[in-house]
Amino acid sequence: MNFVEELRWRGMLHDMMPGTEEQLNKEMTTAYIGFDPTADSLHIGHLCSVMILRHFQRCGHKPLALIGGATGMIGDPSGKSAERNLLDEETLRHNQECIKKQLSKFLDFGSDAPNAAEMVNNYDWMKDFSFLDFARQIGKLITVNYMMAKDSVKKRLNGEFSEGMSFTEFTYQLIQGYDYVYLNRHKNCKLQMGGSDQWGNITTGTELIRRMGGGEAFALTSPLITKADGGKFGKTESGNVWLDPRYTSPYKFYQFWLNVSDADAARYIKIFTAISREECEALTAEHEAAPHLRLLQKRLAKDVTTMVHSAEAYEAAVKASEILFGNATADALRSIDEETLLSVFEGVPQFEIARSEIEAGIQPLTLMAERCPIFPSKGEARKTIQAGGVSINKVKLSAPDAIINADSLLNGKYLLVQKGKKNYYLIKCM
């Protein structure tokens, strides 16, 4: 496979230095992308970079995932309006291990193949580099004029952001540039890749390599991912969409991809999955012929959820979606775990009731009109139940005087009440 051509048709190529494609066609090449270790999970804003490394390895090249342990202690000014908090080494090491575990789902780190992926941390070569040595060996090679010409610096200094830029952040591009020098010398790394906002930092690295008499060095960037409506990709009302299920459940993760617009789905299917060009074009044509079936969104959600989590997590997310939006059975509802249940019904009205009342047995009218105000009165509750309009745990209530007890509880503590087709209520037994 031709790596550059693969990125080009997928819409993942923004810019590259002359000679980059020729280098990749000539031999197996080592390249790196940096990842910010300020959290112990990546989010979907990182996924484009992860997929680039994955395609790179699939095309026979050797990927390096660089954890910015040193640069993460400083903060990249690119696109940022304020400096970040500085992290301690223990936190950085923890975050690095978590990120490697996530990247292992996409990259082959463990085999003896010549292009097996490696993870490196720039803290390892920066921690013993004294300020004086850095200033003498690196600082003297790049002029302040050169550094100030970079867009990331100009935006901060020209008043687009009010807080200016500290010397610490100003040095960021030199430290990132030295990463490239180090990897070029010690790992024969000839290519640095990243988002288009990293072009200035990457080319500072190629310039340093040139001025230090180093070998060949190239640069390649991908476009920053946006939504068709101009909104920021990867953000929801509750914040980032994380790859770690502790922060974003597989169900919510699946729902994010399932709910993207048609225009976004047509782009994202190429960027965030590994399906072939032919299959992608066929699927897009099929989707355009029947957009109401949302074939692109369904395939996108399936592939990305399976890749990031697992096939089992995907199946559970589909099952959970059917519970909320389809005609799922009571057995299906009972089969989902507590975390997924709470994720599915987050945002629906929730009530609490004493466990003793449920264990003693309680009638629906008392439960839904007195203990939990799902209905304004017992009379209205009775009328709706008799009309077949109330279900508990996906089982239609047939009589207002039925008894609900501990046997009815989901996961030993929940009751799901459905009033009409779309109104859900979750009762927690305390």
Side-chain angles (χ1 to χ4, degrees):
M1 289 169 58
N2 182 304
F3 175 66
V4 171
E5 182 54 38
E6 186 74 6
L7 293 193
R8 194 174 275 129
W9 82 258
R10 289 182 183 275
M12 298 170 77
L13 181 64
H14 183 267
D15 205 355
M16 61 180 172
M17 285 180 62
T20 302
E21 189 166 8
E22 290 78 3
Q23 166 62 33
L24 293 169
N25 291 338
K26 182 174 68 174
E27 62 185 0
M28 184 185 82
T29 302
T30 299
Y32 85 95
I33 293 179
F35 293 92
D36 177 8
T38 49
D40 63 358
S41 172
L42 301 174
H43 53 73
I44 62 172
H46 297 109
L47 259 187
C48 181
S49 292
V50 174
M51 292 303 294
I52 286 173
L53 287 181
R54 188 179 194 199
H55 292 310
F56 193 70
Q57 190 171 44
R58 288 172 64 225
C59 291
H61 301 293
K62 182 178 179 67
L64 303 178
L66 181 141
I67 296 297
T71 39
M73 288 181 165
I74 294 173
D76 182 2
S78 301
K80 308 293 192 301
S81 59
E83 293 200 28
R84 68 185 61 185
N85 294 327
L86 306 185
L87 301 178
D88 58 68
E89 184 176 358
E90 183 181 355
T91 302
L92 286 167
R93 293 298 183 189
H94 165 76
N95 293 353
Q96 174 182 334
E97 287 308 308
C98 294
I99 291 170
K100 183 173 184 180
K101 187 176 178 182
Q102 290 182 335
L103 289 176
S104 297
K105 295 183 178 181
F106 300 84
L107 302 172
D108 168 21
F109 282 97
S111 78
D112 56 2
N115 70 326
E118 290 183 43
M119 177 169 278
V120 293
N121 188 331
N122 61 12
Y123 184 74
D124 293 332
W125 56 82
M126 290 302 304
K127 63 183 177 182
D128 297 322
F129 210 155
S130 76
F131 176 77
L132 287 178
D133 286 341
F134 188 81
R136 284 168 58 88
Q137 296 176 35
I138 309 301
K140 70 176 183 179
L141 298 175
I142 300 291
T143 66
V144 170
N145 295 30
Y146 179 91
M147 295 172 70
M148 289 181 68
K150 302 295 185 181
D151 285 343
S152 60
V153 175
K154 284 196 292 188
K155 287 180 180 178
R156 290 285 280 270
L157 295 182
N158 289 344
E160 287 190 33
F161 303 122
S162 59
E163 296 184 20
M165 177 186 289
S166 70
F167 173 77
T168 304
E169 275 198 329
F170 186 60
T171 60
Y172 184 93
Q173 63 174 287
L174 282 185
I175 298 176
Q176 182 172 327
Y178 180 72
D179 290 343
Y180 201 174
V181 172
Y182 183 90
L183 293 174
N184 183 263
R185 288 179 172 178
H186 295 270
K187 298 286 185 181
N188 193 30
C189 179
K190 296 183 179 180
L191 176 62
Q192 184 183 170
M193 303 184 288
S196 58
D197 61 336
Q198 292 296 308
W199 182 258
N201 292 331
I202 294 172
T203 53
T204 296
T206 62
E207 185 67 12
L208 272 175
I209 291 170
R210 185 184 70 80
R211 295 188 184 188
M212 295 176 77
E216 296 177 297
F218 301 94
L220 182 150
T221 59
S222 59
L224 298 181
I225 309 302
T226 58
K227 294 198 294 187
D229 63 7
K232 188 166 184 179
F233 168 74
K235 290 281 189 180
T236 66
E237 290 180 5
S238 56
N240 285 322
V241 179
W242 298 93
L243 305 195
D244 192 315
R246 293 175 300 161
Y247 305 133
T248 300
S249 71
Y251 167 76
K252 281 188 178 177
F253 187 86
Y254 167 79
Q255 283 292 324
F256 172 84
W257 299 102
L258 194 64
N259 289 313
V260 300
S261 68
D262 286 352
D264 286 334
R267 290 170 54 236
Y268 296 168
I269 196 80
K270 294 185 284 188
I271 296 170
F272 299 112
T273 76
I275 66 176
S276 69
R277 185 173 192 168
E278 295 72 24
E279 189 178 1
C280 215
E281 290 171 351
L283 189 62
T284 301
E286 202 176 343
H287 175 91
E288 288 171 352
H292 62 284
L293 297 178
R294 299 180 69 77
L295 297 176
L296 279 177
Q297 286 91 338
K298 289 176 181 177
R299 179 60 185 273
L300 177 66
K302 176 183 179 180
D303 279 30
V304 183
T305 304
T306 301
M307 185 167 53
V308 170
H309 295 292
S310 66
E312 293 75 20
Y314 161 72
E315 295 293 347
V318 172
K319 189 183 294 184
S321 298
E322 290 171 350
I323 288 166
L324 189 56
F325 303 112
N327 298 313
T329 64
D331 288 341
L333 179 62
R334 288 187 176 277
S335 70
I336 68 171
D337 59 272
E338 180 179 3
E339 185 180 357
T340 303
L341 178 74
L342 295 177
S343 182
V344 171
F345 294 103
E346 182 183 14
V348 308
Q350 298 189 13
F351 306 101
E352 293 181 357
I353 188 170
R355 173 172 289 277
S356 58
E357 289 195 74
I358 295 293
E359 289 176 344
I362 190 170
Q363 289 191 338
L365 301 183
T366 304
L367 176 68
M368 294 185 285
E370 292 183 357
R371 299 294 185 269
C372 306
I374 294 170
F375 290 94
S377 66
K378 284 187 174 182
E380 186 169 330
R382 182 188 299 276
K383 186 176 176 182
T384 308
I385 291 169
Q386 289 173 336
V390 178
S391 295
I392 292 184
N393 300 341
K394 287 290 179 179
V395 177
K396 194 161 287 188
L397 268 181
S398 56
D401 56 355
I403 297 296
I404 299 165
N405 57 33
D407 293 337
S408 307
L409 296 174
L410 303 170
N411 293 291
K413 64 171 85 167
Y414 300 102
L415 293 169
L416 179 67
V417 178
Q418 185 176 358
K419 180 171 71 172
K421 286 188 176 181
K422 297 182 179 179
N423 298 308
Y424 286 96
Y425 307 86
L426 195 63
I427 300 173
K428 185 176 182 180
C429 184
M430 301 296 288

